[in-house]
Amino acid sequence: IEDVKSLRGRQFNEDASPMSHPIRPESYISMDNFYTATVYSKGAEVIRMYQTILGGREGFRKGMDLYFQRHDGHAVSCDDFRSAMADANDVDLSQFARWYSTNGTPTVTYSTDYNKDNETFSLTLEQSSQSTEGPLHIPISVGLLDKTTGEEVVPTTVLELKEEKQTFTF
C-alpha cells in the first residue's frame, strides 16, 4: 500500500506533468536531470512486471543469472537486461521494450460479462497510453472468487494485455 501511495503521490504526478519523460530518455541536458522519480519508481515497477510476466521469482532469477553471466563487469543497456530475461525464459519481450520509451502512466479500463447459459465470465481490458509505438505489454494478475463463499473458483493467473483491447474468457 505504501508503495502505491508513493507512486500515486510523486511519480504519477511527475508522469502527468510537462516534466513527463520515458524511463530511458532519448536525450538529456544534464546527467543530474536524469535521476528522477520516473527513472527510479517507474523503472522499479517495470522490473517488477518482468517478474510477473516470467512466472515469479524462479523465471526472474533465471534471467538475472544469464544477465550476470553475459554482462558482469561490463557497461550495459536496458535492452541487454530485456534480452537476458527473454532468452533465459524463452519468451518474446520485444513489445515490452515500449515501456522504456513511453511517457506517462497508462490507463487500463475493464468491463465484465457473465453468460449464464455457458457459465462463462468475460473480462474485457482496454489500455490507453502515450506510446507512439503501439500498445504496451501489461501483465495483470486476476483470480475469480465465488460471490457467496469468497472461495477462489478460478486460480489467480497472469493475463498479458498486448493489444489496445482484449477479452479474456473464463
Side-chain angles (χ1 to χ4, degrees), residues 21-36 39:
H21 60 83
I23 296 168
R24 180 181 57 195
E26 292 299 318
S27 64
Y28 52 89
I29 296 169
S30 172
M31 193 59 165
D32 61 342
N33 289 341
F34 187 74
Y35 298 101
T36 66
V39 170

Side-chain angles (χ1 to χ4, degrees), residues 25 29 34 60 64 90 94 127 147 149 168 170:
I29 296 169
F34 187 74
F60 186 79
M64 289 300 299
D90 197 29
S94 55
Q127 66 168 288
K147 186 176 182 177
T149 67
F168 302 89
F170 304 91

Side-chain angles (χ1 to χ4, degrees), residues 66-137:
L66 181 58
Y67 175 75
F68 287 124
Q69 179 184 345
R70 287 179 177 173
H71 304 291
D72 189 26
H74 298 94
V76 295
S77 69
C78 296
D79 294 323
D80 294 328
F81 186 80
R82 181 178 49 83
S83 292
M85 291 291 155
D87 293 348
N89 291 279
D90 197 29
V91 295
D92 180 4
L93 293 173
S94 55
Q95 184 178 353
F96 193 79
R98 295 175 186 169
W99 278 99
Y100 292 114
S101 57
T102 299
N103 287 28
T105 303
T107 300
V108 176
T109 57
Y110 72 94
S111 61
T112 62
D113 181 58
Y114 180 71
N115 183 318
K116 288 183 182 182
D117 296 334
N118 295 339
E119 294 185 334
T120 57
F121 177 81
S122 295
L123 173 65
T124 299
L125 301 173
E126 189 168 0
Q127 66 168 288
S128 61
S129 73
Q130 295 180 32
S131 173
T132 58
E133 302 169 84
L136 297 172
H137 179 176

